[in-house]
Amino acid sequence: MYVKKAIVGTLTGISLFSVSCKQNPDQAEATANWDESNSFYMESTLSYQTADFEKIKNKDFKPAILEGMRRQVEAIDQITANTEAHTFENTLVALEKSSALFNRVSAVFHLLVGAHTNDEIKAINQELSPKFAAHRDGIYLNEALFQKVKQLHDQQASLGLTSEQARLLDVYYQEFVRSGANLKPEQKKTLKAINQELASLTTQFGDQLLAATKAGSVTFTKEELDGLSSTEMEAFKQADGTYAIPLNNTTQQPIAASLNKKEARQKLFDAGWSRTEKGDDNDTRATLVAIAKKRAEKAELLGFKNYAEWSLQGSMANKPDQAKKLMDQLSPYAVGAATQEAKEIQDLINKEADPFTLTAADWDYYAEKIRAQKYALNLNEVKPYFEMNAVLEKGVFYMAEKLYGITFHERKDIPVWQEDVRVFEIFDEDKSPIGLFYVDFYARESKRGGAWMGNLVTQSKLLNQAPVVYNVCNYQKPATGQPTLLSPDEVITMFHEFGHGLHGFLSDVTYPTVAGTSVSRDFVELPSQFHEHFAFLPEVLTNYAKHHETGEVIPVSLIEKMKAAQNFTIGYGLTEILSASLLDMEWHTISSTTEIKDVATFEQQALAKYGIDLATVPPRYRSSFFNHVFGGGYAAGYYSYTWAETLDNDAFQWLLDNGGMTRENGAIFRAKILSQGNSKPSDEMYREFRGKDATIDAYLKMKGFDQINTFKKNDKIDTKI
């Protein structure tokens, strides 16, 4: 996952000011509290203008953000007041430069909101969230500004623009229209109120989920945790002798795969499943229903049938039916394979002394037993070869050097937001500097769940900015003195987020609005998922996978086992993500008048509607803790992971067909995908890279679905997406 910027990067989200020179209370507060004592008063003097976390204080954020908003409004007033003929330079370039302070401060603020928050930051975020929405509306619903952009767009053919300038103009114009610039004045007033309410509600959902996940930590006795190693247990031990297992943000809790006691597995699953449904302040159900209905109201006001239709404008799918088409193509494969997998697990359970009916809580545990039986592969046998820093430095960085010629040098002199964060300077093949890369890997109470990428500084030739990028994960920190050993899934997560990072720091465009990851949601996961393939590519794997104690390279026999088992429980994995994607789509195709009496009932009916309601395979995220959708930027867009996965498999097949992990192939992918940002439409960019549209053929082949007897021989499937 990555941190989604607004499609117009320099106008990223926020201010309570209408576009007017008249000072209001917020402007007065900004003026009164903005002085040299604020850490953001002057631009950073650190390398790449990165943030100086040693100087930044919580109290600096609000006045600096308000001042940034004020300056942007002032700059836009100057654009609209300009009586000279509209030009690309005095309109769009001026817009690109209008939010320098605001972007500089908000980038740091939103990093800390997600990765290292506290009560003071949460309170500031709650207060500013509706102002963020109002500021954005003050820009995109500004009639005078829109008319200037529209006139340029109407005259585009005669302006002599470069291809990137033409794309920037299209992006601005489309976003103005998408944001309601063509609405009548009273409708704009209503839309502003809806946007502010939604900003508050989504912030509330995120805060509730973070608190619920923290409070949901499950206490066990030593006996209940039978199956965990002594080293693993030591990381969870409490002062009173009990053990506290923190919850992952997903439905399934990975540690359950090691718990021998059925009661312990069920206890952990139930705690995660119901964490946000306890009827207390952390119960998210009323909040998410309010968000879904308010989004529907917004879409209807903008002239769309539902929120998904409005949201998917400009995406590769473009329409909800097109996104559903892909999921409909894949769901029979997923359900068919998952059903076979469940039968295999049930057969194993039936052979035990005390058999029972398989539940979702038991799946991972028995799947690991079958993995060990079928492939002689035990995950605990693999993890000693996946030491976290080795995966990063000898795996991820090694891959980047082989493909793109870039190298990394750790910087100990750059201040960080938390002591475990590491910083690396990136250099190109000719030794010229590219930017900075931060990694923040360990879980903590101040961090939300999941993994993501973001920018502290966005690449831009116009602003003479080099990229400053960060990756955030949630790996369990071991007891003092112990190594951090990752599971195969956690290794893949690191390669995934680094793929987003590459998209950010190999960006090579002029205008920040179209830089890096500022692409459609169903394209943004292509770079991240493409780079997942290299995690277990033998050339990369043998470079980093060395036993943390002996230094022994992972044995060929173990690699062969991993390869044989690579598509193990593929039906489960695809079913859980498709069910979450369809659940997301169902929430965002309701009308504003749809009556929703019970969230759980809505979920059950939605999954049954699509024939993907397997009791043993719950959605990857339940609605009540689906942060991507109700707290993040993936509303009506969770399908994009699967959409992009068809692209990444198609792209990786191209790489395999053309010689594999070579500098030549890396140069092509860098030039045609990673460096381009949003300077071209996503479908056009992909066709220029691949020479054709993607199909699901490579996906089916690489996932092993072509070997699964799910369809009759005369069944047909449309493989073009």
Side-chain angles (χ1 to χ4, degrees):
M1 180 186 178
Y2 79 111
V3 176
K4 177 67 175 172
K5 300 189 292 185
I7 194 167
V8 179
T10 57
L11 304 185
T12 306
I14 327 180
S15 161
L16 162 135
F17 312 136
S18 60
V19 182
S20 163
C21 292
K22 182 178 179 180
Q23 194 175 55
N24 63 32
D26 282 286
Q27 288 171 303
E29 180 178 353
T31 302
N33 294 299
W34 176 249
D35 57 36
E36 293 89 341
S37 67
N38 193 295
S39 60
F40 294 104
Y41 194 80
M42 302 293 291
E43 290 186 2
S44 172
T45 58
L46 296 179
S47 301
Y48 305 95
Q49 298 179 301
T50 194
D52 191 341
F53 289 97
E54 287 182 349
K55 296 180 179 178
I56 294 168
K57 299 177 178 61
N58 290 342
K59 67 180 182 62
D60 295 337
F61 285 115
K62 183 179 175 181
I65 287 171
L66 292 175
E67 174 65 13
M69 292 175 175
R70 187 196 67 76
R71 291 188 189 183
Q72 187 169 19
V73 168
E74 184 176 74
I76 290 172
D77 276 348
Q78 292 173 1
I79 294 171
T80 56
N82 189 350
T83 57
E84 296 177 359
H86 312 330
T87 66
F88 183 88
E89 191 74 24
N90 68 21
T91 304
L92 294 192
V93 172
L95 276 172
E96 290 289 273
K97 295 179 176 179
S98 68
S99 59
L101 174 62
F102 176 71
N103 285 350
R104 181 157 56 87
V105 182
S106 60
V108 179
F109 180 66
H110 290 298
L111 162 63
L112 296 181
V113 166
H116 198 41
T117 193
N118 53 48
D119 289 343
E120 189 175 358
I121 288 176
K122 285 189 282 188
I124 295 169
N125 194 36
Q126 279 282 2
E127 180 184 355
L128 291 183
S129 289
K131 301 184 195 319
F132 292 169
H135 179 60
R136 189 180 191 283
D137 285 342
I139 295 166
Y140 283 112
L141 299 181
N142 181 328
E143 180 64 20
L145 183 60
F146 174 56
Q147 288 305 320
K148 283 181 175 282
V149 173
K150 184 177 185 301
Q151 183 175 337
L152 287 174
H153 193 260
D154 291 345
Q155 300 171 347
Q156 183 170 335
S158 64
L159 297 179
L161 302 179
T162 67
S163 60
E164 185 181 334
Q165 289 172 334
R167 175 62 174 168
L168 182 70
L169 179 54
D170 283 342
V171 167
Y172 266 109
Y173 178 74
Q174 291 163 11
E175 189 64 14
F176 269 97
V177 173
R178 186 174 183 270
S179 299
N182 284 322
L183 293 178
K184 297 176 181 178
E186 281 302 309
Q187 292 175 312
K188 289 181 179 180
K189 183 178 179 181
T190 301
L191 181 60
K192 289 177 182 179
I194 291 172
N195 285 340
Q196 291 181 54
E197 188 173 353
L198 277 170
S200 295
L201 285 168
T202 53
T203 299
Q204 179 180 326
F205 182 92
D207 288 346
Q208 287 175 316
L209 176 55
L210 181 64
T213 300
K214 178 181 176 181
S217 177
V218 190
T219 301
F220 290 95
T221 64
K222 183 177 182 179
E223 292 70 28
E224 286 178 304
L225 294 181
D226 179 44
L228 297 188
S229 69
S230 57
T231 300
E232 289 173 317
M233 292 186 66
E234 190 63 28
F236 303 124
K237 192 171 185 179
Q238 306 299 295
D240 63 359
T242 62
Y243 299 81
I245 306 295
L247 294 175
N248 278 32
N249 203 44
T250 48
T251 296
Q252 289 288 13
Q253 304 301 308
I255 204 168
S258 301
L259 298 179
N260 289 330
K261 294 185 180 295
K262 177 175 174 56
E263 295 78 9
R265 297 193 297 269
Q266 193 67 52
K267 178 179 176 180
L268 183 61
F269 181 89
D270 290 344
W273 187 250
S274 63
R275 76 187 80 172
T276 47
E277 299 190 347
K278 299 183 182 301
D280 56 13
D281 291 342
N282 299 334
D283 193 321
T284 62
R285 288 174 292 184
T287 308
L288 74 89
V289 171
I291 290 170
K293 297 189 76 169
K294 190 60 63 174
R295 284 172 175 166
E297 183 182 345
K298 173 178 177 174
E300 290 162 8
L301 178 64
L302 289 164
F304 291 83
K305 184 179 178 181
N306 53 58
Y307 185 84
E309 284 195 355
W310 173 81
S311 180
L312 265 61
Q313 296 174 86
S315 66
M316 289 189 75
N318 199 42
K319 298 284 187 182
D321 286 349
Q322 187 68 7
K324 288 180 182 179
K325 174 188 172 185
L326 173 64
M327 292 186 277
D328 286 342
Q329 287 175 328
L330 293 176
S331 60
Y333 287 95
V335 172
T339 301
Q340 290 183 24
E341 292 161 4
K343 182 182 183 303
E344 193 172 5
I345 292 175
Q346 187 63 61
D347 288 344
L348 176 61
I349 293 173
N350 290 342
K351 295 176 183 177
E352 294 191 340
D354 188 16
F356 57 87
T357 300
L358 171 68
T359 70
D362 302 306
W363 185 288
D364 285 352
Y365 178 77
Y366 282 94
E368 285 310 310
K369 282 182 173 290
I370 291 175
R371 188 200 304 266
Q373 288 181 4
K374 290 182 70 172
Y375 308 106
L377 179 64
N378 186 311
L379 291 185
N380 289 328
E381 182 184 8
V382 175
K383 289 177 70 173
Y385 294 94
F386 295 157
E387 192 277 321
M388 183 181 73
N389 292 319
V391 175
L392 176 68
E393 297 175 40
K394 302 296 184 181
V396 167
F397 291 172
Y398 174 80
M399 170 197 70
E401 183 173 6
K402 291 297 181 183
L403 278 173
Y404 309 114
I406 59 177
T407 54
F408 300 78
H409 173 71
E410 187 161 12
R411 292 284 299 267
K412 302 274 191 180
D413 60 322
I414 303 291
V416 294
W417 56 91
Q418 200 273 345
E419 61 183 4
D420 294 322
V421 177
R422 300 175 69 189
V423 190
F424 298 87
E425 188 170 10
I426 314 163
F427 296 91
D428 216 333
E429 191 168 20
D430 62 1
K431 306 304 179 185
S432 61
I434 292 176
L436 288 181
F437 178 53
Y438 294 75
V439 293
D440 181 0
F441 284 152
Y442 288 126
R444 53 181 174 267
E445 290 185 350
S446 62
K447 183 191 288 187
R448 67 175 172 84
W452 65 95
M453 163 268 178
N455 282 80
L456 283 171
V457 181
T458 298
Q459 181 271 327
S460 167
K461 295 176 185 175
L462 174 70
L463 304 179
N464 195 30
Q465 289 180 175
V468 178
V469 171
Y470 58 87
N471 277 176
V472 181
C473 295
N474 268 279
Y475 304 141
Q476 179 63 42
K477 189 173 184 178
T480 303
Q482 297 297 319
T484 304
L485 304 180
L486 304 182
S487 70
D489 282 349
E490 289 171 327
V491 171
I492 289 172
T493 295
M494 190 185 294
F495 277 80
H496 177 104
E497 296 307 331
F498 183 77
H500 283 310
L502 286 166
H503 205 181
F505 54 67
L506 294 184
S507 175
D508 187 26
V509 301
T510 300
Y511 302 102
T513 286
V514 293
T517 57
S518 298
V519 297
S520 65
R521 282 177 307 200
D522 50 12
F523 190 78
V524 78
E525 298 297 337
L526 166 61
S528 56
Q529 294 177 179
F530 175 76
H531 289 92
E532 289 181 18
H533 290 277
F534 297 94
F536 302 135
L537 201 66
E539 180 181 348
V540 179
L541 181 64
T542 54
N543 197 65
Y544 73 83
K546 299 178 181 179
H547 198 284
H548 72 97
E549 291 179 333
T550 67
E552 174 199 14
V553 176
I554 189 168
V556 173
S557 60
L558 198 50
I559 296 175
E560 290 301 317
K561 291 178 186 179
M562 290 175 61
K563 184 177 180 180
Q566 66 183 351
N567 289 323
F568 178 65
T569 65
I570 188 65
Y572 184 99
L574 182 55
T575 299
E576 70 164 355
I577 200 166
L578 286 179
S579 57
S581 301
L582 289 164
L583 192 57
D584 164 37
M585 199 63 72
E586 197 71 4
W587 278 113
H588 292 102
T589 50
I590 65 169
S591 74
S592 61
T593 58
T594 300
E595 186 176 1
I596 301 170
K597 295 181 179 180
D598 180 71
V599 169
T601 300
F602 182 91
E603 284 183 342
Q604 292 163 2
Q605 292 174 345
L607 297 177
K609 173 182 175 181
Y610 294 105
I612 201 164
D613 53 334
L614 301 183
T616 53
V617 190
R620 183 169 176 80
Y621 300 97
R622 198 177 192 192
S623 301
S624 58
F625 50 86
F626 206 163
N627 193 60
H628 284 74
V629 168
F630 294 110
Y634 277 73
Y638 197 69
Y639 79 91
S640 60
Y641 285 94
T642 305
W643 184 282
E645 198 166 9
T646 63
L647 298 178
D648 83 66
N649 280 282
D650 189 69
F652 194 70
Q653 186 64 57
W654 162 84
L655 182 130
L656 295 178
D657 292 342
N658 288 276
M661 192 176 72
T662 65
R663 284 285 291 108
E664 292 76 16
N665 286 340
I668 292 170
F669 194 76
R670 177 176 179 174
K672 294 184 179 290
I673 301 292
L674 297 176
S675 69
Q676 293 291 320
N678 191 26
S679 61
K680 298 176 182 178
S682 298
D683 55 349
E684 177 184 322
M685 200 184 311
Y686 191 81
R687 278 192 295 272
E688 287 185 7
F689 157 67
R690 190 67 170 96
K692 65 182 184 66
D693 288 319
T695 72
I696 65 171
D697 295 342
Y699 178 95
L700 295 176
K701 177 182 177 182
M702 290 190 186
K703 296 297 184 182
F705 283 114
D706 59 341
Q707 303 298 315
I708 298 173
N709 186 25
T710 304
F711 288 98
K712 297 177 182 178
K713 289 183 179 180
N714 61 349
D715 282 347
K716 301 292 183 182
I717 188 165
D718 179 6
T719 60
K720 183 179 178 181
I721 63 169

